[in-house]
Amino acid sequence: MKPINDGHVAKPGLAVVEVAAADDETAFAVQELLATQWAIAPADRTTHEPGEPGVRLRCYLDMQQQPEA
């Protein structure tokens, strides 16, 4: 995954969330759960590192904004 840059966490309420899960379905379910509480920039795919178990997903969240309806 790409490094997290200063803009992703430039002010209170911004967060980068990395999910490690057994499969895509689980990772996206966690992302959907986060999206019910906060505005997020969702990931559209997971990544898999060779030699490591499961998949990873990174999304960016803004706790100061409400999720879009």
Side-chain angles (χ1 to χ4, degrees), residues 45-67:
R45 64 181 179 88
T46 61
T47 59
H48 173 74
E49 295 294 327
E52 292 190 17
V55 297
R56 296 192 185 274
L57 173 142
R58 180 185 287 175
C59 60
Y60 303 90
L61 102 100
D62 185 342
M63 296 170 58
Q64 304 302 315
Q65 293 185 33
Q66 296 295 313

Side-chain angles (χ1 to χ4, degrees), residues 2-64:
K2 294 180 181 179
I4 297 167
N5 70 46
D6 292 341
H8 295 137
V9 291
K11 62 182 182 179
L14 297 180
V16 178
V17 178
E18 291 187 353
V19 176
D23 56 29
D24 288 357
E25 181 178 305
T26 304
F28 285 116
V30 171
Q31 178 174 263
E32 287 179 34
L33 182 63
L34 292 170
T36 66
Q37 297 296 312
W38 300 290
I40 68 168
D44 57 357
R45 64 181 179 88
T46 61
T47 59
H48 173 74
E49 295 294 327
E52 292 190 17
V55 297
R56 296 192 185 274
L57 173 142
R58 180 185 287 175
C59 60
Y60 303 90
L61 102 100
D62 185 342
M63 296 170 58
Q64 304 302 315

